[in-house]
Amino acid sequence: MVAYHRVSVEPVGREVRCREDQPILDACLRAGIWVPHSCTHGTCGTCKAELIDGEVDHGNASAFALMDFERDEGKVLLCQASPRSDLVVEADVDVDEGLELHPVRDFTGTVTELADVARDIRVVRIALDEELRFAPGQYVALRVPGTPATRTYSLANPPTQRRLLELHVRRTPGGLASDGWVFGPMAAGERVSLSGPYGRFVFRPARPEPAIMVAGGTGLAPIASMIRHALAAPSGPRLYLYHGARTRADLYCVDEFRALAAAHPDRFRYRPCLSEQTPEDPAGGGWDGGAGLVTDVLAADFDRCSGHVGYVCGPPPMVDAALKLLMRKRLFPRDIYREDFFSEADRATGGVRSPLLRR
Ligand SMILES: Cc1cc2nc3c(=O)[nH]c(=O)nc-3n(C[C@H](O)[C@H](O)[C@H](O)COP(=O)(O)OP(=O)(O)OC[C@H]3O[C@@H](n4cnc5c(N)ncnc54)[C@H](O)[C@@H]3O)c2cc1C
Ligand code: FES
């Protein structure tokens, strides 16, 4: 029988029961305690907390996200650490005003559709047996069949759509979940298990500033959820979407976002950008969007970004480049929200980002 321990979470003074084989973060999120987290697989360091009292197993924490001296100082990664005794931990628990957050739960569902929308990008639709309530921008952890592994995918559907999930999955060559399952044997009708919602990369409804949204590849998924949600409201801040891809074959959702831009000319501007379409070759292939890296197109469009709020999501190098640009253009770190699509490779090589930047 698996043992349980009591975990006291400071400074909020809440206590949760946590199984000996359960990450402390998981127990907190299921109890509705919104502890900081991002990747949930020991890579980003966002969930780092102070162990005030008790013993833990550090689990599979990346040596980059939790260095040896930090372990010695009593730091833990809550998404990896599980209790070996009753504990007291101190985490940076804060909840932004105006956000409706929902406890993590387990769900089951059925794959209803697989659609190839771009080169090596597949949209997966899953009909859940029960409603999943989430904030736009959050993600789920999908159990990979036949393995103990889970993989995280952002929800692209708006939060009003609680039973039909939309995931955008990019193929990683040799990847367990993408290449080996979603682009392999996964088929309509297949039963799947998942948990969620996770993440703090969520649309901030209380912020009135216009939003600059930068997405690389399938980093579009959480931003699509935010845009679909925001534009369904009768009013809201102006949104600029910069979606980067290499070539036209790698870009998707173009018709949908062009239609949204045409329907909401005062609220939404769409800038798809192709990095292999250089400015010197602007008309090649009839391309009428941005030519160059998404950051170059954004840099040319905005002299200053102060007075805006930034949402950035995609592969970690793109996210870093976009953050540097936004800060150079006078946007403060506190006004930038980010989601890095860290993978197992980042866990092995390090993917820790600046603590200055918002999660
Ligand atoms: C918060 C979050 C949200 C995400 N949302 C999305 C999304 O919406 N869409 C999307 O496409 N992706 C998303 N991702 C990425 C996704 O979770 C997976 O990382 C990605 O799909 C690859 O998973 P995989 O199982 O196919 O590959 P994996 O088997 O995880 O392999 C990934 C890479 O790591 C290498 N690797 C595997 N194990 C090791 C090891 N032990 N040491 C060194 N290298 C190793 C592999 O060779 C491969 O190159 C998200 C990630 C995060 C953190
Ligand atoms: S959430 Fe724990 S290391 Fe990323």
Side-chain angles (χ1 to χ4, degrees), residues 58-70:
H58 285 282
N60 202 5
S62 151
F64 298 92
L66 185 69
M67 300 200 180
D68 288 345
F69 79 88
E70 294 178 300

Side-chain angles (χ1 to χ4, degrees), residues 25 36-48 65 77-80:
L25 177 72
H37 64 286
S38 180
C39 71
T40 59
H41 56 59
T43 305
C44 69
T46 306
C47 65
K48 201 174 291 172
L77 293 186
L78 294 177
C79 72
Q80 295 301 308

